[in-house]
Amino acid sequence: MLGGLIYEAMGKTTGMRVLDDNGTVEMTLEEKGNVFGIECTLTLTVVGKNRPNGMQYSEGRGILITKDGDAATLTMSGISISKGLPPRSSVRGATIFNTQAPKLARLNSVVCVFEGEVSEDSSYTIKDWEWK
């Protein structure tokens, strides 16, 4: 069951490297949003592998920093479902956070599920909810 909204942001792919002949790519993503209603930025590195069915499986690591300087790291995994010409897609997956910051401590006890929508220009929106 989904719980409350934990994180919401808008972002853009800011870099990409092709890692092999199978189309595995490494992407750098930058987001601006809110975690528990606190303004923050998030930088994420994701490695995506194409699947035979046209989907892409991705795993990534990132760091979230609030406007007050509190930080949390995260790991994520998910799939991208094409919605036309790349990079237009829907993204679904799970995120796990880790932090030492007292204001963000609740992140240590939740698993989040996310959904996002990626546009033709590589910009996107993303939302993470608590998974109860």
mmCIF file of all heavy atoms in Angstrom, residues 78-106:
data_model
loop_
_atom_site.group_PDB
_atom_site.id
_atom_site.type_symbol
_atom_site.label_atom_id
_atom_site.label_comp_id
_atom_site.label_asym_id
_atom_site.label_seq_id
_atom_site.Cartn_x
_atom_site.Cartn_y
_atom_site.Cartn_z
ATOM 1 N N GLY A 78 14.961 0.578 -11.122
ATOM 2 C CA GLY A 78 13.666 0.726 -11.770
ATOM 3 C C GLY A 78 13.709 0.346 -13.229
ATOM 4 O O GLY A 78 14.750 -0.043 -13.767
ATOM 5 N N ILE A 79 12.553 0.463 -13.862
ATOM 6 C CA ILE A 79 12.452 0.189 -15.292
ATOM 7 C C ILE A 79 11.875 1.412 -16.001
ATOM 8 O O ILE A 79 11.093 2.163 -15.428
ATOM 9 C CB ILE A 79 11.596 -1.058 -15.605
ATOM 10 C CG1 ILE A 79 10.176 -0.909 -15.045
ATOM 11 C CG2 ILE A 79 12.252 -2.323 -15.080
ATOM 12 C CD1 ILE A 79 9.211 -1.958 -15.562
ATOM 13 N N SER A 80 12.298 1.572 -17.242
ATOM 14 C CA SER A 80 11.767 2.620 -18.113
ATOM 15 C C SER A 80 10.962 1.951 -19.212
ATOM 16 O O SER A 80 11.420 0.987 -19.831
ATOM 17 C CB SER A 80 12.905 3.427 -18.755
ATOM 18 O OG SER A 80 13.680 4.048 -17.779
ATOM 19 N N ILE A 81 9.781 2.474 -19.445
ATOM 20 C CA ILE A 81 8.886 1.948 -20.465
ATOM 21 C C ILE A 81 8.751 3.017 -21.535
ATOM 22 O O ILE A 81 8.289 4.129 -21.263
ATOM 23 C CB ILE A 81 7.509 1.608 -19.868
ATOM 24 C CG1 ILE A 81 7.682 0.634 -18.702
ATOM 25 C CG2 ILE A 81 6.569 1.073 -20.937
ATOM 26 C CD1 ILE A 81 6.502 0.584 -17.761
ATOM 27 N N SER A 82 9.181 2.705 -22.750
ATOM 28 C CA SER A 82 9.177 3.672 -23.840
ATOM 29 C C SER A 82 7.764 4.164 -24.145
ATOM 30 O O SER A 82 6.800 3.408 -24.105
ATOM 31 C CB SER A 82 9.772 3.034 -25.097
ATOM 32 O OG SER A 82 9.739 3.943 -26.165
ATOM 33 N N LYS A 83 7.672 5.476 -24.449
ATOM 34 C CA LYS A 83 6.396 6.084 -24.839
ATOM 35 C C LYS A 83 6.576 6.829 -26.163
ATOM 36 O O LYS A 83 6.063 7.914 -26.346
ATOM 37 C CB LYS A 83 5.917 7.038 -23.758
ATOM 38 C CG LYS A 83 5.527 6.324 -22.471
ATOM 39 C CD LYS A 83 5.037 7.278 -21.434
ATOM 40 C CE LYS A 83 3.601 7.630 -21.681
ATOM 41 N NZ LYS A 83 3.053 8.555 -20.676
ATOM 42 N N GLY A 84 7.336 6.231 -27.065
ATOM 43 C CA GLY A 84 7.632 6.865 -28.349
ATOM 44 C C GLY A 84 9.129 6.902 -28.565
ATOM 45 O O GLY A 84 9.857 6.028 -28.105
ATOM 46 N N LEU A 85 9.582 7.935 -29.244
ATOM 47 C CA LEU A 85 11.010 8.060 -29.491
ATOM 48 C C LEU A 85 11.758 8.356 -28.195
ATOM 49 O O LEU A 85 11.312 9.164 -27.395
ATOM 50 C CB LEU A 85 11.280 9.178 -30.499
ATOM 51 C CG LEU A 85 10.791 8.931 -31.922
ATOM 52 C CD1 LEU A 85 11.011 10.166 -32.785
ATOM 53 C CD2 LEU A 85 11.505 7.728 -32.527
ATOM 54 N N PRO A 86 12.924 7.690 -28.001
ATOM 55 C CA PRO A 86 13.710 7.969 -26.796
ATOM 56 C C PRO A 86 14.114 9.439 -26.747
ATOM 57 O O PRO A 86 14.330 10.042 -27.788
ATOM 58 C CB PRO A 86 14.947 7.072 -26.963
ATOM 59 C CG PRO A 86 14.524 6.019 -27.937
ATOM 60 C CD PRO A 86 13.517 6.670 -28.833
ATOM 61 N N PRO A 87 14.165 9.999 -25.568
ATOM 62 C CA PRO A 87 14.090 9.366 -24.249
ATOM 63 C C PRO A 87 12.691 9.355 -23.648
ATOM 64 O O PRO A 87 12.534 9.045 -22.471
ATOM 65 C CB PRO A 87 15.020 10.247 -23.426
ATOM 66 C CG PRO A 87 14.815 11.614 -23.981
ATOM 67 C CD PRO A 87 14.612 11.392 -25.455
ATOM 68 N N ARG A 88 11.657 9.704 -24.437
ATOM 69 C CA ARG A 88 10.295 9.783 -23.888
ATOM 70 C C ARG A 88 9.892 8.442 -23.290
ATOM 71 O O ARG A 88 9.878 7.419 -23.981
ATOM 72 C CB ARG A 88 9.321 10.195 -24.982
ATOM 73 C CG ARG A 88 7.972 10.543 -24.450
ATOM 74 C CD ARG A 88 7.153 11.347 -25.459
ATOM 75 N NE ARG A 88 5.909 11.707 -24.835
ATOM 76 C CZ ARG A 88 4.718 11.275 -25.241
ATOM 77 N NH1 ARG A 88 4.629 10.511 -26.305
ATOM 78 N NH2 ARG A 88 3.636 11.629 -24.591
ATOM 79 N N SER A 89 9.563 8.463 -21.966
ATOM 80 C CA SER A 89 9.263 7.212 -21.279
ATOM 81 C C SER A 89 8.581 7.461 -19.937
ATOM 82 O O SER A 89 8.533 8.588 -19.449
ATOM 83 C CB SER A 89 10.564 6.421 -21.036
ATOM 84 O OG SER A 89 11.469 7.184 -20.281
ATOM 85 N N SER A 90 8.071 6.370 -19.383
ATOM 86 C CA SER A 90 7.579 6.333 -18.010
ATOM 87 C C SER A 90 8.555 5.487 -17.219
ATOM 88 O O SER A 90 9.029 4.459 -17.702
ATOM 89 C CB SER A 90 6.196 5.695 -17.932
ATOM 90 O OG SER A 90 5.228 6.529 -18.500
ATOM 91 N N VAL A 91 8.848 5.920 -16.003
ATOM 92 C CA VAL A 91 9.828 5.238 -15.160
ATOM 93 C C VAL A 91 9.146 4.834 -13.861
ATOM 94 O O VAL A 91 8.398 5.619 -13.269
ATOM 95 C CB VAL A 91 11.027 6.171 -14.868
ATOM 96 C CG1 VAL A 91 12.092 5.449 -14.075
ATOM 97 C CG2 VAL A 91 11.596 6.739 -16.150
ATOM 98 N N ARG A 92 9.411 3.601 -13.411
ATOM 99 C CA ARG A 92 8.844 3.089 -12.163
ATOM 100 C C ARG A 92 9.920 2.330 -11.417
ATOM 101 O O ARG A 92 10.729 1.639 -12.036
ATOM 102 C CB ARG A 92 7.678 2.129 -12.436
ATOM 103 C CG ARG A 92 6.572 2.693 -13.324
ATOM 104 C CD ARG A 92 5.764 3.731 -12.592
ATOM 105 N NE ARG A 92 4.642 4.199 -13.373
ATOM 106 C CZ ARG A 92 4.634 5.295 -14.115
ATOM 107 N NH1 ARG A 92 5.720 6.030 -14.231
ATOM 108 N NH2 ARG A 92 3.557 5.678 -14.767
ATOM 109 N N GLY A 93 9.927 2.425 -10.075
ATOM 110 C CA GLY A 93 10.920 1.676 -9.327
ATOM 111 C C GLY A 93 10.861 1.934 -7.839
ATOM 112 O O GLY A 93 9.847 2.394 -7.312
ATOM 113 N N ALA A 94 11.977 1.639 -7.158
ATOM 114 C CA ALA A 94 12.075 1.764 -5.707
ATOM 115 C C ALA A 94 13.346 2.517 -5.333
ATOM 116 O O ALA A 94 14.359 2.430 -6.021
ATOM 117 C CB ALA A 94 12.072 0.391 -5.056
ATOM 118 N N THR A 95 13.266 3.246 -4.209
ATOM 119 C CA THR A 95 14.384 4.025 -3.694
ATOM 120 C C THR A 95 14.551 3.727 -2.210
ATOM 121 O O THR A 95 13.569 3.640 -1.472
ATOM 122 C CB THR A 95 14.119 5.544 -3.848
ATOM 123 O OG1 THR A 95 13.766 5.833 -5.195
ATOM 124 C CG2 THR A 95 15.331 6.359 -3.459
ATOM 125 N N ILE A 96 15.813 3.604 -1.771
ATOM 126 C CA ILE A 96 16.146 3.459 -0.359
ATOM 127 C C ILE A 96 17.144 4.552 -0.016
ATOM 128 O O ILE A 96 18.152 4.729 -0.708
ATOM 129 C CB ILE A 96 16.732 2.073 -0.059
ATOM 130 C CG1 ILE A 96 15.677 1.007 -0.362
ATOM 131 C CG2 ILE A 96 17.202 1.988 1.392
ATOM 132 C CD1 ILE A 96 16.166 -0.408 -0.230
ATOM 133 N N PHE A 97 16.839 5.303 1.038
ATOM 134 C CA PHE A 97 17.676 6.424 1.478
ATOM 135 C C PHE A 97 18.494 6.035 2.710
ATOM 136 O O PHE A 97 18.142 5.112 3.441
ATOM 137 C CB PHE A 97 16.797 7.624 1.863
ATOM 138 C CG PHE A 97 16.102 8.275 0.711
ATOM 139 C CD1 PHE A 97 14.820 7.878 0.335
ATOM 140 C CD2 PHE A 97 16.697 9.311 0.001
ATOM 141 C CE1 PHE A 97 14.154 8.496 -0.716
ATOM 142 C CE2 PHE A 97 16.053 9.929 -1.045
ATOM 143 C CZ PHE A 97 14.774 9.526 -1.405
ATOM 144 N N ASN A 98 19.566 6.803 2.953
ATOM 145 C CA ASN A 98 20.378 6.669 4.153
ATOM 146 C C ASN A 98 20.856 8.063 4.554
ATOM 147 O O ASN A 98 21.330 8.816 3.693
ATOM 148 C CB ASN A 98 21.580 5.767 3.893
ATOM 149 C CG ASN A 98 22.398 5.541 5.138
ATOM 150 O OD1 ASN A 98 21.858 5.322 6.215
ATOM 151 N ND2 ASN A 98 23.702 5.613 5.001
ATOM 152 N N THR A 99 20.714 8.417 5.835
ATOM 153 C CA THR A 99 21.124 9.745 6.278
ATOM 154 C C THR A 99 21.553 9.736 7.735
ATOM 155 O O THR A 99 21.099 8.890 8.510
ATOM 156 C CB THR A 99 19.989 10.776 6.081
ATOM 157 O OG1 THR A 99 20.470 12.079 6.417
ATOM 158 C CG2 THR A 99 18.778 10.449 6.925
ATOM 159 N N GLN A 100 22.408 10.686 8.088
ATOM 160 C CA GLN A 100 22.782 10.942 9.473
ATOM 161 C C GLN A 100 22.088 12.202 9.995
ATOM 162 O O GLN A 100 22.211 12.536 11.170
ATOM 163 C CB GLN A 100 24.302 11.119 9.585
ATOM 164 C CG GLN A 100 25.087 9.892 9.156
ATOM 165 C CD GLN A 100 24.801 8.683 10.023
ATOM 166 O OE1 GLN A 100 24.752 8.781 11.245
ATOM 167 N NE2 GLN A 100 24.588 7.543 9.397
ATOM 168 N N ALA A 101 21.388 12.926 9.106
ATOM 169 C CA ALA A 101 20.768 14.204 9.466
ATOM 170 C C ALA A 101 19.496 13.982 10.288
ATOM 171 O O ALA A 101 18.576 13.292 9.833
ATOM 172 C CB ALA A 101 20.436 14.994 8.202
ATOM 173 N N PRO A 102 19.403 14.564 11.488
ATOM 174 C CA PRO A 102 18.203 14.386 12.317
ATOM 175 C C PRO A 102 16.906 14.804 11.611
ATOM 176 O O PRO A 102 15.884 14.133 11.765
ATOM 177 C CB PRO A 102 18.477 15.270 13.534
ATOM 178 C CG PRO A 102 19.969 15.322 13.631
ATOM 179 C CD PRO A 102 20.451 15.309 12.198
ATOM 180 N N LYS A 103 16.932 15.897 10.841
ATOM 181 C CA LYS A 103 15.720 16.359 10.164
ATOM 182 C C LYS A 103 15.224 15.368 9.103
ATOM 183 O O LYS A 103 14.053 15.389 8.745
ATOM 184 C CB LYS A 103 15.956 17.704 9.482
ATOM 185 C CG LYS A 103 16.097 18.867 10.423
ATOM 186 C CD LYS A 103 16.302 20.147 9.629
ATOM 187 C CE LYS A 103 16.654 21.321 10.502
ATOM 188 N NZ LYS A 103 16.975 22.511 9.710
ATOM 189 N N LEU A 104 16.118 14.527 8.601
ATOM 190 C CA LEU A 104 15.765 13.583 7.545
ATOM 191 C C LEU A 104 15.751 12.138 8.039
ATOM 192 O O LEU A 104 15.588 11.213 7.254
ATOM 193 C CB LEU A 104 16.752 13.709 6.379
ATOM 194 C CG LEU A 104 16.862 15.079 5.723
ATOM 195 C CD1 LEU A 104 17.945 15.070 4.653
ATOM 196 C CD2 LEU A 104 15.526 15.518 5.137
ATOM 197 N N ALA A 105 15.888 11.933 9.340
ATOM 198 C CA ALA A 105 16.054 10.596 9.917
ATOM 199 C C ALA A 105 14.952 9.624 9.507
ATOM 200 O O ALA A 105 15.206 8.420 9.385
ATOM 201 C CB ALA A 105 16.142 10.687 11.436
ATOM 202 N N ARG A 106 13.760 10.108 9.273
ATOM 203 C CA ARG A 106 12.656 9.223 8.877
ATOM 204 C C ARG A 106 12.964 8.473 7.587
ATOM 205 O O ARG A 106 12.469 7.372 7.350
ATOM 206 C CB ARG A 106 11.359 10.022 8.738
ATOM 207 C CG ARG A 106 10.172 9.143 8.442
ATOM 208 C CD ARG A 106 8.848 9.847 8.701
ATOM 209 N NE ARG A 106 7.784 9.034 8.181
ATOM 210 C CZ ARG A 106 7.135 9.283 7.048
ATOM 211 N NH1 ARG A 106 7.412 10.353 6.334
ATOM 212 N NH2 ARG A 106 6.180 8.486 6.649
#
